[in-house]
Amino acid sequence: MPLQPTRDDKFSFGLWTVGWQARDPFGEATRGPLDPVEAVHKLAELGAYGITFHDDDLVPFGSDARSRDGILAGFRKALDETGMVVPMVTTNLFTHPAFKDGGFTSNDRGVRRYALRKVLRNMDLAAELGAKTLVLWGGREGAEYDVAKDVHAALDRYREALDVIARYSEDNGYGLRFAIEPKPNEPRGDILLPTAGHALAFLHELERPELFGINPEVGHEQMANLNFAHGVAQALWHGKLFHIDLNGQHGPKFDQDLVFGHGDLLNAFALVDLLEHGAPGGGPRYDGPRHFDYKPSRTEDYTGVWASAAANMRMYLLLKERAQAFRADPRVQAALTESGVLELARPTLDEGETYRDLLDDDRGFDADAAGARGYGFVRLHQLAVDHLLRA
Amino acid sequence: MPLQPTRDDKFSFGLWTVGWQARDPFGEATRGPLDPVEAVHKLAELGAYGITFHDDDLVPFGSDARSRDGILAGFRKALDETGMVVPMVTTNLFTHPAFKDGGFTSNDRGVRRYALRKVLRNMDLAAELGAKTLVLWGGREGAEYDVAKDVHAALDRYREALDVIARYSEDNGYGLRFAIEPKPNEPRGDILLPTAGHALAFLHELERPELFGINPEVGHEQMANLNFAHGVAQALWHGKLFHIDLNGQHGPKFDQDLVFGHGDLLNAFALVDLLEHGAPGGGPRYDGPRHFDYKPSRTEDYTGVWASAAANMRMYLLLKERAQAFRADPRVQAALTESGVLELARPTLDEGETYRDLLDDDRGFDADAAGARGYGFVRLHQLAVDHLLRA
Amino acid sequence: MPLQPTRDDKFSFGLWTVGWQARDPFGEATRGPLDPVEAVHKLAELGAYGITFHDDDLVPFGSDARSRDGILAGFRKALDETGMVVPMVTTNLFTHPAFKDGGFTSNDRGVRRYALRKVLRNMDLAAELGAKTLVLWGGREGAEYDVAKDVHAALDRYREALDVIARYSEDNGYGLRFAIEPKPNEPRGDILLPTAGHALAFLHELERPELFGINPEVGHEQMANLNFAHGVAQALWHGKLFHIDLNGQHGPKFDQDLVFGHGDLLNAFALVDLLEHGAPGGGPRYDGPRHFDYKPSRTEDYTGVWASAAANMRMYLLLKERAQAFRADPRVQAALTESGVLELARPTLDEGETYRDLLDDDRGFDADAAGARGYGFVRLHQLAVDHLLRA
Amino acid sequence: MPLQPTRDDKFSFGLWTVGWQARDPFGEATRGPLDPVEAVHKLAELGAYGITFHDDDLVPFGSDARSRDGILAGFRKALDETGMVVPMVTTNLFTHPAFKDGGFTSNDRGVRRYALRKVLRNMDLAAELGAKTLVLWGGREGAEYDVAKDVHAALDRYREALDVIARYSEDNGYGLRFAIEPKPNEPRGDILLPTAGHALAFLHELERPELFGINPEVGHEQMANLNFAHGVAQALWHGKLFHIDLNGQHGPKFDQDLVFGHGDLLNAFALVDLLEHGAPGGGPRYDGPRHFDYKPSRTEDYTGVWASAAANMRMYLLLKERAQAFRADPRVQAALTESGVLELARPTLDEGETYRDLLDDDRGFDADAAGARGYGFVRLHQLAVDHLLRA
């Protein structure tokens, strides 16, 4: 039964996903709160291997030490009972009104300092629970008005904060890796580091760039109408795909957080194929958690919540099954060859060839003939669709 | 007469802009060809200081050596007569059918080699004409189908090509700087290095990253609904704004190439303010060419073409004038202070402060009070709009 | 002092706009509640002439009769003291969880019946307060999944509900006009009647189409990247612009509800010009309320709320002032003539001309000459921008 | 072999689709011209039943009478030999420079008159070849600048032209039906009648509205990020789906014209289900031509052209096969019932029930219970995806 998830599939969910009470900008909550302990048990039953959280998801903002300890004890017990792990932890720097102009890049220095303390403290918890990755989503780092944010200074402050965080982890022996999660907008009119590309560029400027990667999210890139599989491929090429958020989205509109595969199905197929098999001509695969960062639709009750959690994993496994068949099909391999897809792995210059050699090698090339060649891309793509649909 | 452009304004135009014959996907050319010599003279009269071109704009594809020499002699003469310069040159790797699957990253290795030769030869011309910058727009480097392009291999080939180019320039003492121009799509379904961020990330992987920067274009970033002024601010922060393409666009649709300022006027104001004055809290200004990469509307004859060329420069100077008044207004400075915009330049940690000090400094902060503070952003923004509109 | 609003400007605000407590999908409220009585007084002071509300904005959902009476008495007193009017009322069919799958088109018939009762009761209040217009925003009439909503049946139910509403108003002598407010998405994945066009088409199928028009909102059309001024022009052409919602938006993303003019400034200029002066060649102007349906940014306290309310009116008056100068400028009239803008009002056929006459009149036309003509649109547009910027 | 198209499937193609020579805004043609006679034969072999064209596709613009007659004779012969029909004809009002500011709504009255004559003459040909439908795509009816087009006058002229056309068809006994094809932009910055909704609204104002319907195109609606299946459902509800253009698109960007199903696959599934089976609760099906208006990718040679033509039909038949299984599955019917999808066909009021009865029927409804109900939409949708993927 290949569509039954197992721990080896490394499926993980945020507490805030199945626990979302479905309050949206125009409506009240339609579901009651979910006990984190129940979430652990239920997700384990469904086949997940991990659970993740923002500090405030698990321990409500402002809890005293006693409540905190009680909550943590119960949560750890649930993990022990189920064998579930906490592969990633993240910090809420967006819900409380104090963060309304950002955390690390708020125009209010007191807030910036507070945000940094909040993350440092959460790292203690992350380490304690064995998390390997800390995700950094700067959802409020941005502006509605161009004059309201000094982007140059903001990037300085962002870097400052991330350098402190890295030092703290290293000094304490936490061994955490950090994954920046880009998003173009919402809740801010424009968010800093809006795409996978901007985040990848940014992290090169840090003191310890090797500790930083990205956590791209399907819907976030698609809100800018970018090709998500392409963005992930570039992240892998940089060696920076440290974590991934899977969900569904229908192009540039509000952040929908649908079930994975319930948005752009063809691109989801390409993504799973890439994560599982690497690029056709070789290249790294992704072996971290398959993390679902979605929201069960507001129309659903808890039966629907668990059905939607299961649907995420089912979609991934379905796409994986089809991608395996696609890769294994000799007709596909022939078509990839004919289309030149596999040839692209071959360097443009021969080994040892210089640009002088290249410049001299002008005679053999017939530009018009090269322009007349058919690449057979539509046929190749139809083969992929046929495998996806098992036609 | 502050709205009369002078050479000090460093306005430049592509030959392909005023020379666009207005053929679009659904219609034939509405204008006859423009002689490059006439373009030089006319743009000089209007107040531009520079002209740029793709190799094939100046010397038609396939010209023999004699024609080439004649064209170049005439062009140089026009430059001499007018004092116009050629600050930038770029290479056409997209018009000929041979490039239909890309240049540096075509699935056809013969095409990749040809593309590289074409760029190297164009660099000889660029150097000869005194150009300082070579722009690299990889408009065909991409795909319509996810299975049709091995993105990992494509980025390897892209890097390989750019490393060769840099070596060639250095070995020949050309001293060129290279500016990658990102675009999300069109003419390909998805283009590699789709945004300023992706290009900034990519160039870190090159052999000589210091020679590479970006050439962001207003419309290209806005086709992904990104904030252009934010993208430019990040490029400046990285020290990588090597060139800029100014035009206008109305959000995610086909590439409109309107006159600068005729698209998102408020963002154009923020952009000019940034280029001219740097970030509010300090940071680099841009002192390179203000290059217009636009298309005179297809409804216009040559009278309209020159009117549109003049409109680009007028818009820039108008916005510059208003931005100067904005910066000089004491009410604005007061509002920037009140909104905390200027405070963001102050480091989050005091000099010498450690994270331990920071963690200890918890008592003074009242999160609820911080959440209740009004930032006054709307008022600040209205001041900006008032200055823009001279209200 | 032309930028000081007066009652003649017919500026109105929703209670839910200045009263928005700034809770968004990722954050808690940053402002306390606003007393409707204070809202009336404050808006009157600022120069507004009217206030509008959803039933639940004024009388909280579930209030008993006594509370309701008390609230209404206080509200009426405030209206009397200030001379403020209630030109429009609307019904909340979206906040309570019962409406999670829609109101008039919910898959649950009990909800449909409840929604209808809620609107009918609200009409009693609307009539009592002298409102002339009932706005119908079906924000939850839609779906996230194509299979989850029978659109054909949904449009039947929508029509059924609107026919009942119209009958109720007529039978009771309320004399209300009804304005459908389109929106493409958010909070639902897709909303029925997504654009001004879809709503205009729909209302033709009602029993009493003459009682129904539309209430287009700047941001809603721009979320589909449509030209708002064009949509409004079409609504005016149909005689169906019954009400209008003014605000600002930056293209296809979440519903931003910025201050009017703080989004696409050039299109806002065209809109005000159209509302105030009608089409250049003649056509109806809009003389209803200029209604601001915006949200004061979450970063603002109540000082900022009132500054933002004032900014809406200031922007409208600024744009009106510039549009008046634009229309009055003889150079503009000459440019409109030269561009053929004014000629378009002339019928294509002469009076009494038949298609046979037209077909016979073939000789005089030179298609190539017509294709060579320059329309001078860029110059005309630059004149408009110059007037907007008072250059 | 259910995926082998037959004449009963009513698949038709535009001559301009398989005949597109692949010239795009940035590149020259990559394919030679296609003889219409060959197109007829080849499409017939592949299983199509019909072919369509713009006047100038078949008879090049400016051909003399003799050439025209020769071309038509050859074309008719091919139709006779193959049994192919011409279900639809359309008129090119966009390629020649004369149309650069539009056809029916050009600011140049001479152009407007010429455009009308061109359509009338094309109707003679349409009737002669037995076409039942004339498609009207006003691709150039629009503007780049808001001040450059008097939209009110333009809609007057649009109506005037369409009224003349209808009269001409009726007087000559052609019996044509007219289908307006909406598009939001490209090649103009904004096009009039930008969506299915706007066109549906517009046609109500014509003299003979019953002769007019719409021809929605997948990609055109998706360029405004609208739900295509929803738009088609509304058109069917109005009884106005006179024709349909099938293709693929990836959201708001340039007009891609991909193969049907190669864009948003899930929405394509919903569309085929709707066209083939009507709404779940009953309602009209579509029985006209399944017309593919796509462009074979520029990377393909003629082998790829024909492969892409075949892929369109294969995709439709695959989706039809999966939709049939979906509808026939008892689990699906149960899920539709549970989700209330089928209940929506039941009127909100009982037969004979008045609004007074409705208002009195308040007691039984528990809003909170209604809000707590789970609709099971995610599970229902997953069933649809499972059928699509044959999981």
Side-chain angles (χ1 to χ4, degrees), chain A residues 345-364:
Chain A
R346 186 173 164 209
T348 299
L349 271 63
D350 292 324
E351 214 181 316
E353 189 179 16
T354 66
Y355 54 71
R356 265 180 222 97
D357 302 331
L358 176 75
L359 283 167
D360 288 344
D361 181 37
D362 217 353
R363 280 133 309 192

Side-chain angles (χ1 to χ4, degrees), chain B residues 23-25 27-28, chain D residues 20-30 298:
Chain B
R23 202 164 69 191
D24 75 16
E28 297 298 342
Chain D
W20 185 56
Q21 291 186 248
R23 199 165 72 191
D24 75 15
F26 297 92
E28 298 297 343
T30 68
R298 192 170 172 271

Side-chain angles (χ1 to χ4, degrees), chain C residues 48-278:
Chain C
Y49 97 120
I51 192 156
T52 68
F53 54 83
H54 301 89
D55 45 359
D56 303 335
D57 298 330
L58 187 56
V59 183
F61 188 88
S63 300
D64 61 22
R66 190 203 197 98
S67 309
R68 186 180 181 277
D69 291 347
I71 290 167
L72 287 178
F75 189 68
R76 266 198 214 89
K77 184 158 167 280
L79 295 175
D80 290 344
E81 287 169 356
T82 56
M84 290 275 278
V85 297
V86 177
M88 180 273 277
V89 164
T90 184
T91 315
N92 184 325
L93 298 180
F94 46 87
T95 298
H96 192 279
F99 300 122
K100 63 190 177 185
D101 185 45
F104 298 151
T105 70
S106 168
N107 283 0
D108 186 321
R109 188 170 178 252
V111 175
R112 297 200 295 273
R113 293 171 64 82
Y114 175 62
L116 202 37
R117 286 194 300 265
K118 196 168 189 287
V119 175
L120 296 181
R121 294 208 169 100
N122 195 26
M123 288 163 70
D124 299 339
L125 177 59
E128 197 183 320
L129 290 171
K132 303 292 180 215
T133 305
L134 191 85
V135 160
L136 299 152
W137 177 55
R140 296 265 179 216
E141 319 293 357
E144 285 69 41
Y145 309 100
D146 294 337
V147 290
K149 188 62 64 179
D150 178 333
V151 174
H152 195 271
L155 294 174
D156 279 346
R157 296 293 78 70
Y158 222 144
R159 177 174 52 192
E160 182 188 5
L162 268 46
D163 286 342
V164 169
I165 285 169
R167 249 176 274 146
Y168 186 81
S169 172
E170 293 297 290
D171 290 356
N172 286 283
Y174 289 165
L176 287 162
R177 298 208 307 173
F178 303 95
I180 301 171
E181 179 175 330
K183 191 177 184 186
N185 59 72
E186 195 195 332
R188 303 307 300 272
D190 293 288
I191 300 179
L192 299 175
L193 310 181
T195 76
H198 294 79
L200 287 167
F202 173 75
L203 60 83
H204 274 285
E205 311 289 340
L206 300 174
E207 253 175 35
R208 301 286 306 272
E210 72 282 8
L211 299 177
F212 288 83
I214 66 167
N215 177 46
E217 178 169 323
V218 174
H220 292 182
E221 303 297 310
Q222 293 179 345
M223 287 165 72
N225 214 17
L226 298 175
N227 185 315
F228 186 68
H230 277 205
V232 168
Q234 183 170 348
L236 280 168
W237 184 76
H238 287 279
K240 289 299 188 188
L241 186 66
F242 280 17
H243 199 263
I244 194 163
D245 274 359
L246 301 172
N247 60 19
Q249 174 77 13
H250 291 293
K253 55 173 72 168
F254 73 101
D255 188 10
Q256 296 191 276
D257 283 335
L258 299 167
V259 164
F260 177 60
H262 287 188
D264 183 338
L265 183 54
L266 291 171
N267 199 252
F269 173 72
L271 175 70
V272 171
D273 182 49
L274 174 67
L275 295 176
E276 293 293 324
H277 304 115

Side-chain angles (χ1 to χ4, degrees), chain B residues 188-205:
Chain B
R188 303 308 299 272
D190 292 289
I191 300 179
L192 299 175
L193 310 181
T195 76
H198 294 79
L200 288 166
F202 173 75
L203 59 84
H204 273 286
E205 310 291 339

Side-chain angles (χ1 to χ4, degrees), chain A residues 100 171 350 355 371 373, chain B residues 100 109 171 350 355 371 373:
Chain A
K100 63 189 178 185
D171 290 356
D350 292 324
Y355 54 71
R373 167 185 179 174
Chain B
K100 62 190 178 186
R109 188 172 179 252
D171 290 355
D350 292 324
Y355 54 71
R373 167 185 180 174

Side-chain angles (χ1 to χ4, degrees), chain B residues 49-383:
Chain B
Y49 99 120
I51 192 156
T52 68
F53 54 85
H54 301 89
D55 46 358
D56 303 335
D57 298 330
L58 186 57
V59 183
F61 188 90
S63 300
D64 60 22
R66 190 205 197 96
S67 309
R68 186 179 182 279
D69 291 347
I71 290 168
L72 287 178
F75 189 68
R76 267 199 213 86
K77 184 157 167 282
L79 294 175
D80 290 344
E81 287 168 355
T82 56
M84 290 274 279
V85 299
V86 176
M88 179 274 276
V89 163
T90 183
T91 315
N92 184 325
L93 298 180
F94 47 87
T95 297
H96 192 280
F99 300 122
K100 62 190 178 186
D101 186 46
F104 298 151
T105 70
S106 169
N107 283 359
D108 186 323
R109 188 172 179 252
V111 175
R112 298 200 294 273
R113 291 171 64 81
Y114 175 63
L116 202 36
R117 288 194 300 265
K118 196 167 189 287
V119 174
L120 297 182
R121 293 205 171 104
N122 195 27
M123 287 163 69
D124 299 339
L125 177 60
E128 194 184 322
L129 290 171
K132 304 290 178 219
T133 305
L134 192 86
V135 161
L136 300 152
W137 177 56
R140 297 266 179 215
E141 320 291 358
E144 285 69 40
Y145 310 100
D146 294 336
V147 289
K149 188 63 63 180
D150 178 333
V151 173
H152 195 272
L155 293 174
D156 278 346
R157 296 292 78 71
Y158 222 145
R159 177 174 53 191
E160 182 189 5
L162 268 47
D163 285 343
V164 170
I165 285 169
R167 252 175 271 144
Y168 186 80
S169 171
E170 294 297 290
D171 290 355
N172 286 282
Y174 288 166
L176 286 163
R177 299 208 307 172
F178 304 95
I180 300 172
E181 179 175 330
K183 192 177 183 186
N185 59 73
E186 195 197 330
R188 303 308 299 272
D190 292 289
I191 300 179
L192 299 175
L193 310 181
T195 76
H198 294 79
L200 288 166
F202 173 75
L203 59 84
H204 273 286
E205 310 291 339
L206 300 174
E207 252 175 37
R208 300 287 305 270
E210 73 281 8
L211 298 178
F212 288 83
I214 66 166
N215 176 46
E217 177 169 323
V218 175
H220 292 182
E221 303 297 309
Q222 293 179 345
M223 287 165 71
N225 214 18
L226 298 175
N227 186 316
F228 186 69
H230 278 205
V232 168
Q234 184 170 348
L236 281 168
W237 184 76
H238 286 278
K240 289 299 187 188
L241 186 65
F242 279 17
H243 199 263
I244 194 163
D245 275 358
L246 302 172
N247 60 18
Q249 174 77 14
H250 291 294
K253 54 173 72 166
F254 72 101
D255 188 9
Q256 297 191 276
D257 283 335
L258 298 168
V259 163
F260 177 60
H262 287 188
D264 184 337
L265 182 55
L266 291 170
N267 199 252
F269 173 72
L271 175 70
V272 172
D273 182 50
L274 175 66
L275 295 176
E276 294 292 325
H277 305 115
R285 293 184 295 172
Y286 172 71
D287 68 356
R290 273 67 176 164
H291 184 250
F292 300 106
D293 187 359
Y294 84 113
K295 287 194 174 72
S297 295
R298 194 170 171 270
T299 51
E300 307 303 293
D301 59 14
Y302 270 103
T303 304
V305 167
W306 302 119
S308 69
N312 276 295
M313 297 187 281
R314 179 177 179 81
M315 287 306 300
Y316 191 95
L317 293 174
L318 268 168
L319 295 172
K320 180 178 170 183
E321 172 190 282
R322 306 304 164 90
Q324 282 168 339
F326 174 71
R327 289 279 181 134
D329 183 349
R331 290 175 311 155
V332 169
Q333 290 303 315
L336 286 168
T337 301
E338 196 187 313
S339 289
V341 175
L342 300 178
E343 204 205 57
L344 192 55
R346 187 174 163 208
T348 300
L349 270 63
D350 292 324
E351 213 181 315
E353 190 179 16
T354 66
Y355 54 71
R356 264 178 222 98
D357 302 330
L358 176 77
L359 283 168
D360 289 343
D361 180 36
D362 216 353
R363 279 133 309 191
F365 184 72
D366 178 344
D368 291 334
R373 167 185 180 174
Y375 281 89
F377 289 155
V378 176
R379 189 177 152 262
L380 172 62
H381 180 63
Q382 185 60 43
L383 273 173

